[in-house]
Amino acid sequence: MDALRPHGWIILDKPLELGSTQAVGAVKRNLREAGLLGKGKDKLKVGHGGTLDPLATGVLPIAIGEATKLCGRMLDASKIYEFTIGFGAETETLDVEGAVTETSDHRPSLAEVEAVLPQFTGPIEQIPPKYSALKIDGKRAYDLARAGVAVEMKLRGVTIYSLSIRHPDTSSRHPELVSGSPEVLKQVQDDEALEGITLIAKVSKGTYIRSLARDIARALNTVGHVTMLRRTKAGPFTLKQAISLDKLNEIGKGADITDYLLPLEAGLDDIPAFDLTPDQAKLLRQGMTLDEQEMIGNPALNGLFLATENHGSPVALAELVDGTVKVVRGFNM
């Protein structure tokens, strides 16, 4: 990788109250201070691979340079979240930021929560929050809601691949058991009324965790809102690869960006790779097609794959269809 033209991913552990756009701005600022951003037509593009609300924390993939061509794939990727539902109050934003719109004295038990979760696993339909970035007649839903305009959000289909309990909220009544075993926690909490519950969900693109929390609470004959939201995985990226904002700021102070930058192909670890000859790579860079039979060491690929040269340098995201290799997205590394 050319140190003056970094292409790849910085995985930020986004802190509270920092918006996704602000996080992208922080990366740009550090690249600029390090003399890596460039100017004019040589200026590097920077983008994120999936919005996180300011009140959410966790994995925010930020693409730099040619990796921005993969942001769409990252938006389509599955995500894993940990989130806490606080029972007894529903808010207009479905999180702690909004005003309370409905309350309930009922508190569910752990057994009741366990019983209801299968209803929200698999393909489901949900109504997105009216305070969301979805566009209605060309305007953001949250702008309409803040302006007092009645917003009708339509049902949309999403998939919840898995949904499980992390641990009950025992801190207020049994602080000595917060670090105890799940078996002890479960024994204590089975019949107790819960003030909140923390869940882990693996979800498809388009899933609103705030809506999921609202609907789970209502299915439990109460109301609720999200009090904590943390993304632990986005596509192939996890918290293990994430850096803090402080670490990010070290780049602008002279730290080697390669200590924090993941390669472009790290965002494509779910598809196979195939190394091309120089002549084949040249043809793909020119937007030409390749015949499957002409590919030395034919890998019998079918569908998307990463075309590389020189044992790993990305050339293109390519697709093999009916014996012909076509470029989906070319990389100018």
Side-chain angles (χ1 to χ4, degrees):
M1 180 182 65
D2 183 350
L4 297 179
R5 299 292 297 169
H7 301 282
W9 302 89
I10 286 179
I11 313 305
L12 184 66
D13 186 350
K14 190 191 80 64
L16 275 173
E17 299 182 356
L18 184 75
S20 299
T21 301
Q22 292 173 305
V24 169
V27 171
K28 288 182 177 179
R29 173 176 53 79
N30 277 278
L31 290 175
R32 186 182 302 110
E33 291 174 356
L36 298 172
L37 188 61
K39 297 180 179 180
K41 65 178 182 180
D42 293 326
K43 187 175 182 180
L44 284 173
K45 292 183 178 180
V46 181
H48 65 75
T51 300
L52 268 183
D53 292 339
L55 294 180
T57 66
V59 175
L60 180 63
I62 299 180
I64 299 174
E66 291 297 284
T68 57
K69 294 178 178 179
L70 301 177
C71 282
R73 282 181 56 83
M74 198 56 56
L75 293 172
D76 290 343
S78 63
K79 314 288 193 304
I80 297 179
Y81 295 91
E82 291 187 4
F83 64 103
T84 301
I85 309 172
F87 295 122
E90 187 174 303
T91 68
E92 60 182 359
T93 58
L94 304 182
D95 58 22
V96 297
E97 189 176 42
V100 173
T101 56
E102 188 175 349
T103 61
S104 171
D105 293 330
H106 178 66
R107 300 292 185 272
S109 67
L110 179 60
E112 289 173 324
V113 174
E114 289 177 328
V116 83
L117 293 187
Q119 298 178 28
F120 297 93
T121 305
I124 67 169
E125 289 189 323
Q126 62 175 200
I127 298 176
K130 63 180 180 180
Y131 283 85
S132 66
L134 285 176
K135 286 190 175 182
I136 299 176
D137 297 329
K139 296 184 178 180
R140 298 289 186 187
Y142 55 66
D143 287 333
L144 295 172
R146 288 167 183 162
V149 177
V151 179
E152 181 181 355
M153 308 301 291
K154 296 182 179 179
L155 275 171
R156 57 191 292 169
V158 298
T159 301
I160 312 299
Y161 299 111
S162 63
L163 184 60
S164 60
I165 296 171
R166 193 186 74 180
H167 64 73
D169 180 4
T170 61
S171 57
S172 60
R173 293 174 304 282
H174 300 281
E176 74 282 3
L177 295 176
V178 172
S179 59
S181 69
E183 292 77 13
V184 172
L185 291 174
K186 188 176 187 304
Q187 181 181 1
V188 170
Q189 289 288 1
D190 260 341
D191 298 322
E192 279 194 40
L194 299 176
E195 293 299 324
I197 193 80
T198 299
L199 305 176
I200 303 172
K202 181 179 181 181
V203 303
S204 71
K205 69 173 184 177
T207 301
Y208 281 92
I209 298 298
R210 287 176 290 154
S211 294
L212 182 61
R214 172 199 62 203
D215 296 342
I216 290 172
R218 290 180 179 179
L220 291 164
N221 298 313
T222 185
V223 291
H225 63 282
V226 171
T227 61
M228 184 279 292
L229 177 60
R230 183 161 176 78
R231 186 156 68 193
T232 60
K233 188 174 183 181
F237 301 121
T238 69
L239 284 170
K240 290 182 179 180
Q241 299 156 307
I243 64 172
S244 67
L245 196 58
D246 288 341
K247 287 288 185 183
L248 174 65
N249 290 335
E250 290 181 4
I251 296 173
K253 298 175 182 177
D256 188 347
I257 190 173
T258 59
D259 290 341
Y260 308 107
L261 189 71
L262 299 179
L264 176 150
E265 55 268 29
L268 295 170
D269 74 341
D270 59 336
I271 65 172
F274 181 68
D275 212 45
L276 305 175
T277 67
D279 288 340
Q280 291 167 342
K282 182 178 180 181
L283 286 173
L284 285 192
R285 287 193 178 100
Q286 293 173 344
M288 307 293 284
T289 61
L290 298 176
D291 187 275
E292 179 185 13
Q293 301 305 317
E294 297 174 355
M295 297 178 68
I296 296 174
N298 179 6
L301 297 169
N302 188 22
L304 284 172
F305 69 97
L306 175 62
T308 62
E309 184 184 15
N310 296 327
H311 306 291
S313 179
V315 173
L317 179 61
E319 186 173 20
L320 176 61
V321 180
D322 298 328
T324 300
V325 175
K326 300 179 180 180
V327 173
V328 177
R329 296 303 300 263
F331 304 121
N332 301 313
M333 303 290 283

